[in-house]
Amino acid sequence: MKKVLSYFNKITIYIKDSFRRMVSAVKTDAMYRRFVYLFVGLNVILLLSELDIMNYSTVSLYAYIIIFTIVALGLNILLGFSGLMSLGTAGFVGFGAYGVVYFETLGFPYEISSLITIVIATFIGLAVGLFSLKVEGVYLAISTLAVGEIFSQIFKRVTWFTNAYGGVHYKYPTLLGFIELDRNMTYIFLSFVMVVMMVVMYHLTKSKTGRALLAMSRSNSSAQAMGVSISKYRLFSFVVAILYATIGGILYASFYRYVQPLDWNLMLTLLILAMVVVGGMKSIFGTFLGVFIIYGIPKLYLEDLFSSVSGVAYLFSGILIIVVVMFYPYGMIHVTHDIKKLYNKYKIHKQNKLKAGDGDE
Amino acid sequence: MSDNTNKSYVLKPGTLLDIQNLSMRFGGLTAVNNLSFDIKENEIFGLIGPNGAGKTTVFNCITQFYKDKDGIIIFNNKKNEIINLNDIHVEKIIKEGLVRTFQNVELIKDLSVIDNLLIGAHTLFKSDFIGHIFRSKRASEEETFYKAKALEILKFMKIDYLKDQYVAGQPYGILKKIGIARTLMSNPKLIILDEPAAGLNETETTELSKLMIQIKENYKCSILLVEHDMGFVMGVCDRICAINFGKFLALGTPDYIKRHPDVQEAYLGRDDE
């Protein structure tokens, strides 16, 4: 009994300590503040829609953006940091969505069925990662494409798991067995998970692990000479990417409550890839921006604007992507540097003008 | 001593690395042929030879980038155990106290200078990725500790003013310095430098030779270097080994090497008269 109490004490002290460090981190590190702003900003949208200022459906568009930000963050770790390629992302998102529904129908609570799905996905990720040790570049892309195709065939044909073309229905999640979430609460839950995943990525990439991944992607031999184990970090980045995709899938099922087999195709994978590239490799907020540009702008604005002629919206979003890639090949997030530069120029210009004015008097 | 290995190796006292009968073949080409030399503790050792003599191959053999070689490479590691480097995987070599640079620098361009140095300390970090995800106390303490160490090394190299700048866009001389600074992060016993003076101008080269001697004295380590700049090699090395077509030519002090007829022949050609 005493032992249990002392463990309990230790844990509470640890939690208190971590909390204190978290608070001080938010105070000192601007990055954390931005995460908080993003969380608040996303929830303001919910508030606006509740107040009837925004459409009811806007929230579900933003939920999609949130979900695919998580998925794209995973791909960003793989592509941006480790320099590896995967074309199987959509398959894993679908697996997450189907998995959580399936295990919940078996009678497990939401958290446990999510966990089981994640564990299974981790093992599949390890298998894909092991395979990736042997192939490079384009060949890796092709083989992961095959993995994605296997998934999409499973979704169409394995009836006991996915109900084939009928799709599976689900409900909003119940947390801890008694907190039943409604649509708005699920949205808040989604945005919370996204911010947590962003913090995880921020911590990972600004640590020894992130540096090792970068070292590996830039030069294998140099990384090896520095003691970075190529096989370990390759496996690691595949597992992380697949975990992010699976979590995205679980959230997809939780929010949309319906999963159907035709969504998880190569088209979706390529869109996720475009989100990472357009938004900015290695950038967390860039990934969010990328998802917003690829998915959000066409759905939120362009389709309304060109509602009279169907299809024109897609034309414009295509042109938009080309323009973005042309002017910001390293990702749209770098537009912030240009804005800062312009602002500084403007400030200096203003100061000079003031000085010139002083001289006249 | 290493009792757990079935074979125990011996090194003469004061010797750090002993290469015995090293041979490396690529198909029909023998790049290194029965080469033997040894490096003493706290010395700067030069490996010279004309283009294609197999110098870089020797480096890659020592650091285990090449497998399937003949001969043994005995090394007195960080824990003062005598080991054969051939038993060690290429990614574990740095843990034994042996670290190398590359001819074409191979830094990470989109990281800051100090972060590039921290990669050199990769094996010294004890925290794992779970600690990194939660940014545990231990992980962040480690991070600050090694950042301070990196800063100290940058100060020693007199490039600490660059610490937060990106590596991309730095001049070549600075890149070479960062490469050397990165090797120092791992507390090495032997640093292997692949053409440290290549691409440097004269002032930078003189600065580099001073730096080599300072590193040897401050960090108490040996340096093995391959270089084409003869002035640099003769000025900085304690001993030199000359090779040609993968074969041993001569080993000795710079003066001895300069006068050695075989070395002169390899570099200048034979006098027919």
Side-chain angles (χ1 to χ4, degrees):
Chain A
M1 193 62 203
K2 247 183 184 174
K3 233 180 185 178
V4 174
L5 264 178
S6 79
Y7 273 126
F8 188 72
N9 252 348
K10 257 186 198 165
I11 291 171
T12 45
I13 287 169
Y14 185 77
I15 291 173
K16 263 185 198 164
D17 190 46
S18 321
F19 188 72
R20 204 178 308 127
R21 279 194 301 126
M22 241 160 69
V23 171
S24 76
V26 171
K27 273 181 193 156
T28 49
D29 195 336
M31 240 354 222
Y32 292 112
R33 277 205 294 280
R34 279 178 218 154
F35 290 134
V36 175
Y37 294 151
L38 186 64
F39 180 71
V40 173
L42 283 170
N43 286 298
V44 165
I45 287 158
L46 184 68
L47 190 70
L48 289 178
S49 108
E50 281 298 298
L51 296 174
D52 278 344
I53 298 171
M54 267 182 168
N55 276 339
Y56 182 73
S57 62
T58 313
V59 173
S60 88
L61 288 179
Y62 272 96
Y64 195 92
I65 292 175
I66 289 170
I67 289 161
F68 280 90
T69 303
I70 296 174
V71 176
L73 281 175
L75 189 65
N76 208 338
I77 287 182
L78 195 65
L79 190 68
F81 283 88
S82 321
L84 298 167
M85 189 63 177
S86 168
L87 291 179
T89 321
F92 284 100
V93 184
F95 175 75
Y98 277 119
V100 71
V101 180
Y102 178 72
F103 289 112
E104 197 142 341
T105 53
L106 291 185
F108 293 109
Y110 179 70
E111 291 85 1
I112 303 290
S113 43
S114 306
L115 203 68
I116 297 172
T117 314
I118 288 171
V119 169
I120 294 174
T122 310
F123 279 107
I124 303 174
L126 276 174
V128 176
L130 277 176
F131 184 72
S132 86
L133 299 178
K134 297 283 169 199
V135 281
E136 297 278 343
V138 185
Y139 305 99
L140 182 60
I142 294 170
S143 32
T144 51
L145 173 69
V147 174
E149 271 313 296
I150 291 171
F151 270 118
S152 93
Q153 289 304 319
I154 288 175
F155 299 152
K156 281 177 207 162
R157 299 189 200 274
V158 183
T159 322
W160 58 268
F161 183 50
T162 65
N163 195 20
Y165 288 97
V168 287
H169 289 274
Y170 195 47
K171 56 181 180 43
Y172 289 124
T174 310
L175 297 182
L176 300 172
F178 63 93
I179 310 170
E180 284 188 27
L181 303 181
D182 59 356
R183 177 172 177 270
N184 292 348
M185 287 303 283
T186 312
Y187 178 83
I188 296 171
F189 174 63
L190 250 59
S191 51
F192 179 73
V193 173
M194 183 191 80
V195 170
V196 168
M197 298 311 277
M198 281 181 163
V199 173
V200 167
M201 178 165 166
Y202 175 59
H203 283 177
L204 262 186
T205 52
K206 292 270 180 249
S207 72
K208 167 197 167 191
T209 311
R211 287 190 295 266
L213 292 179
L214 268 174
M216 178 179 84
S217 75
R218 299 305 181 262
S219 159
N220 260 357
S221 44
S222 168
Q224 282 182 318
M226 290 298 133
V228 177
S229 162
I230 301 290
S231 45
K232 181 182 156 190
Y233 282 99
R234 272 201 168 189
L235 281 180
F236 177 80
S237 50
F238 264 100
V239 169
V240 168
I242 282 163
L243 277 183
Y244 271 73
T246 313
I247 289 170
I250 292 170
L251 295 180
Y252 181 93
S254 314
F255 189 84
Y256 292 102
R257 293 166 300 143
Y258 177 63
V259 192
Q260 61 126 334
L262 294 175
D263 290 339
W264 320 109
N265 51 14
L266 181 63
M267 180 67 194
L268 181 64
T269 302
L270 292 179
L271 278 182
I272 297 165
L273 189 66
M275 287 162 185
V276 173
V277 174
V278 168
M281 294 221 212
K282 300 198 296 151
S283 165
I284 294 171
F285 290 103
T287 310
F288 181 80
L289 192 65
V291 180
F292 190 78
I293 291 168
I294 300 278
Y295 182 82
I297 289 180
K299 290 275 177 200
L300 284 170
Y301 305 110
L302 295 178
E303 275 183 10
D304 283 351
L305 221 60
F306 303 103
S307 54
S308 51
V309 197
S310 66
V312 175
Y314 293 99
L315 187 78
F316 267 85
S317 69
I319 292 172
L320 180 75
I321 293 168
I322 293 171
V323 168
V324 165
V325 172
M326 268 173 71
F327 289 102
Y328 291 96
Y330 298 109
M332 198 55 194
I333 196 70
H334 293 279
V335 81
T336 50
H337 298 300
D338 284 10
I339 292 171
K340 258 185 210 158
K341 237 192 244 167
L342 268 179
Y343 176 72
N344 282 343
K345 240 186 199 168
Y346 171 75
K347 234 166 68 180
I348 290 166
H349 183 71
K350 216 174 162 187
Q351 276 171 359
N352 285 348
K353 238 186 181 173
L354 273 177
K355 268 184 198 162
D358 288 345
D360 284 346
E361 278 177 353
Chain B
M1 290 289 176
S2 53
D3 298 318
N4 47 354
T5 51
N6 42 13
K7 227 175 169 186
S8 62
Y9 300 95
V10 260
L11 264 185
K12 271 180 265 164
T15 315
L16 184 63
L17 180 85
D18 191 9
I19 295 173
Q20 294 173 6
N21 308 71
L22 181 72
S23 292
M24 178 76 208
R25 288 175 197 88
F26 298 106
L29 177 85
T30 309
V32 179
N33 193 353
N34 218 7
L35 184 71
S36 305
F37 63 85
D38 63 324
I39 298 172
K40 296 201 169 60
E41 266 166 29
N42 220 3
E43 85 170 338
I44 302 180
F45 190 94
L47 187 65
I48 61 167
N51 278 334
K55 305 176 298 273
T56 303
T57 312
V58 173
F59 273 23
N60 285 339
C61 287
I62 297 174
T63 47
Q64 303 302 316
F65 275 90
Y66 294 149
K67 296 180 181 68
D68 305 323
K69 52 199 167 295
D70 296 329
I72 50 174
I73 304 162
I74 303 172
F75 183 63
N76 185 0
N77 75 359
K78 266 187 192 173
K79 293 176 206 149
N80 269 332
E81 292 165 346
I82 314 286
I83 52 163
N84 183 357
L85 287 178
N86 288 343
D87 300 336
I88 294 179
H89 192 259
V90 55
E91 289 156 357
K92 305 251 162 69
I93 286 285
I94 192 169
K95 276 191 186 168
E96 306 295 335
L98 199 150
V99 62
R100 68 171 292 178
T101 65
F102 288 84
Q103 214 162 324
N104 42 351
V105 196
E106 307 267 9
L107 295 169
I108 299 158
K109 292 199 176 68
D110 39 4
L111 272 184
S112 67
V113 171
I114 198 156
D115 279 343
N116 263 284
L117 255 66
L118 286 175
I119 287 169
H122 180 83
T123 47
L124 298 176
F125 277 89
K126 290 203 173 60
S127 57
D128 55 1
F129 66 90
I130 294 172
H132 299 152
I133 287 175
F134 296 110
R135 201 165 270 190
S136 67
K137 206 173 174 183
R138 183 160 154 223
S140 35
E141 275 169 6
E142 247 180 358
E143 190 89 7
T144 10
F145 176 77
Y146 286 111
K147 261 199 181 142
K149 187 180 173 187
L151 196 62
E152 199 181 295
I153 290 172
L154 285 177
K155 262 185 194 145
F156 166 73
M157 313 271 286
K158 299 191 183 68
I159 46 173
D160 54 315
Y161 62 97
L162 290 172
K163 72 182 169 84
D164 290 324
Q165 289 186 21
Y166 281 113
V167 165
Q170 301 292 352
Y172 199 64
I174 297 287
L175 293 183
K176 289 259 172 184
K177 270 191 175 176
I178 298 168
I180 295 170
R182 185 166 74 165
T183 62
L184 290 175
M185 282 299 288
S186 62
N187 309 327
K189 282 187 89 173
L190 174 63
I191 305 174
I192 300 185
L193 301 175
D194 204 347
E195 306 211 2
L200 301 187
N201 63 30
E202 236 168 80
T203 16
E204 283 170 330
T205 310
T206 356
E207 208 182 322
L208 185 69
S209 12
K210 274 183 206 151
L211 189 67
M212 293 282 106
I213 291 161
Q214 278 175 350
I215 287 174
K216 186 182 89 172
E217 280 163 6
N218 279 20
Y219 290 88
K220 301 272 176 287
C221 54
S222 297
I223 299 172
L224 166 61
L225 53 92
V226 155
E227 188 46 67
H228 278 293
D229 186 332
M230 280 305 140
F232 174 75
V233 174
M234 297 296 167
V236 77
C237 289
D238 299 316
R239 287 193 309 153
I240 294 172
C241 174
I243 59 175
N244 194 18
F245 296 116
K247 274 191 198 150
F248 179 87
L249 284 183
L251 180 114
T253 58
D255 279 338
Y256 172 77
I257 294 290
K258 259 188 238 171
R259 293 201 196 92
H260 200 283
D262 285 350
V263 179
Q264 286 176 355
E265 186 195 315
Y267 273 92
L268 304 168
R270 187 195 298 272
D271 197 351
D272 279 336
E273 286 166 63

Coordinates of all heavy atoms in Angstrom, one line a residue, chain B residues 12 19 37 47 52 81 86 91 93 111 125-126 140 144 163 218 248 252 260-261:
Chain B
K12 N 51.2 -2.1 -29.4 CA 52.3 -1.6 -28.7 C 51.9 -0.4 -27.8 O 51.0 0.4 -28.3 CB 53.4 -1.1 -29.7 CG 54.4 -2.3 -30.0 CD 55.4 -1.8 -31.0 CE 55.0 -2.0 -32.4 NZ 55.7 -1.3 -33.4
I19 N 47.3 -0.7 -38.6 CA 46.7 -1.3 -39.8 C 47.7 -2.4 -40.2 O 48.9 -2.1 -40.4 CB 46.4 -0.3 -40.9 CG1 45.4 0.7 -40.4 CG2 46.0 -1.0 -42.2 CD1 45.1 1.8 -41.3
F37 N 50.5 0.3 -41.6 CA 51.1 1.4 -40.9 C 50.4 1.6 -39.6 O 49.4 1.0 -39.3 CB 51.1 2.7 -41.7 CG 49.7 3.2 -42.0 CD1 49.1 4.1 -41.2 CD2 49.1 2.9 -43.3 CE1 47.8 4.6 -41.5 CE2 47.9 3.4 -43.6 CZ 47.2 4.3 -42.6
L47 N 48.7 10.8 -44.8 CA 48.7 9.8 -45.8 C 48.7 10.5 -47.2 O 47.8 11.2 -47.5 CB 47.4 8.9 -45.6 CG 47.4 7.6 -46.5 CD1 48.4 6.7 -46.0 CD2 46.0 7.0 -46.3
G52 N 44.6 8.7 -57.2 CA 44.3 7.3 -57.5 C 45.1 6.3 -56.8 O 45.2 5.1 -57.1
E81 N 40.0 -0.4 -24.7 CA 40.0 -1.8 -25.1 C 40.6 -1.8 -26.4 O 40.5 -0.9 -27.3 CB 38.6 -2.3 -25.2 CG 37.8 -2.4 -23.9 CD 36.3 -2.5 -24.0 OE1 35.8 -2.3 -25.2 OE2 35.7 -2.9 -23.0
N86 N 37.2 -4.1 -37.8 CA 36.5 -4.9 -38.8 C 35.2 -5.5 -38.1 O 34.3 -5.9 -38.8 CB 37.3 -6.0 -39.4 CG 38.3 -5.3 -40.4 OD1 38.2 -4.2 -40.8 ND2 39.4 -6.1 -40.7
E91 N 28.1 2.3 -38.5 CA 27.3 3.3 -37.7 C 27.8 3.3 -36.2 O 27.4 4.3 -35.5 CB 25.8 3.0 -37.8 CG 25.2 3.3 -39.1 CD 24.0 2.5 -39.4 OE1 23.6 1.7 -38.5 OE2 23.4 2.7 -40.5
I93 N 31.1 3.0 -35.4 CA 32.5 3.4 -35.4 C 32.7 4.6 -34.5 O 33.7 4.7 -33.7 CB 33.0 3.6 -36.8 CG1 33.2 2.3 -37.5 CG2 34.3 4.4 -36.8 CD1 34.4 1.5 -37.1
L111 N 20.1 23.4 -41.9 CA 20.1 23.5 -40.5 C 21.2 24.5 -40.1 O 22.1 24.8 -40.8 CB 20.6 22.1 -39.8 CG 19.5 21.1 -39.6 CD1 20.1 19.9 -38.9 CD2 18.3 21.7 -38.8
F125 N 23.9 11.4 -27.0 CA 22.6 11.7 -26.4 C 22.1 10.4 -25.8 O 22.2 9.3 -26.5 CB 21.6 12.2 -27.5 CG 21.7 13.6 -27.7 CD1 22.6 14.2 -28.6 CD2 20.9 14.5 -27.0 CE1 22.7 15.5 -28.9 CE2 21.0 15.9 -27.3 CZ 21.9 16.4 -28.2
K126 N 21.5 10.4 -24.6 CA 21.0 9.2 -24.0 C 19.5 9.2 -24.1 O 18.9 8.1 -23.9 CB 21.4 9.1 -22.6 CG 22.9 8.9 -22.5 CD 23.3 8.2 -21.2 CE 24.8 7.8 -21.2 NZ 25.7 9.0 -21.4
S140 N 15.6 17.8 -22.4 CA 15.9 19.2 -22.6 C 17.3 19.6 -21.9 O 18.0 20.4 -22.4 CB 14.8 20.1 -22.2 OG 14.1 19.6 -21.1
T144 N 20.5 21.3 -23.8 CA 21.3 22.5 -23.4 C 22.7 22.2 -23.1 O 23.6 23.0 -23.5 CB 20.7 23.1 -22.1 OG1 19.7 22.2 -21.5 CG2 20.0 24.4 -22.3
K163 N 26.8 30.9 -35.2 CA 26.2 29.8 -34.7 C 24.7 29.6 -35.1 O 24.3 28.5 -35.4 CB 26.3 29.7 -33.2 CG 25.4 30.7 -32.4 CD 25.7 30.6 -30.9 CE 25.1 31.7 -30.2 NZ 23.6 31.6 -29.9
N218 N 44.8 20.6 -27.6 CA 43.6 20.9 -26.7 C 42.7 19.7 -26.4 O 42.3 19.4 -25.3 CB 42.7 22.0 -27.2 CG 43.3 23.3 -26.9 OD1 44.5 23.5 -26.6 ND2 42.4 24.4 -27.0
F248 N 52.5 0.3 -50.2 CA 53.3 1.1 -49.3 C 54.6 1.6 -50.0 O 55.3 0.8 -50.7 CB 53.6 0.2 -48.1 CG 54.5 0.8 -47.1 CD1 53.9 1.6 -46.1 CD2 55.9 0.7 -47.1 CE1 54.7 2.1 -45.1 CE2 56.7 1.3 -46.2 CZ 56.1 2.0 -45.1
G252 N 57.7 7.8 -42.5 CA 58.7 8.5 -41.6 C 58.4 10.0 -41.5 O 57.3 10.4 -41.7
H260 N 63.0 10.7 -49.8 CA 62.9 9.2 -50.2 C 62.8 9.1 -51.7 O 61.9 9.7 -52.4 CB 61.7 8.6 -49.5 CG 61.8 7.1 -49.5 ND1 61.5 6.3 -50.6 CD2 62.1 6.3 -48.5 CE1 61.6 5.1 -50.2 NE2 62.0 5.0 -48.9
P261 N 63.7 8.3 -52.4 CA 63.7 8.2 -53.8 C 62.4 7.7 -54.4 O 61.9 8.1 -55.5 CB 64.9 7.3 -54.1 CG 65.2 6.6 -52.8 CD 64.8 7.5 -51.7

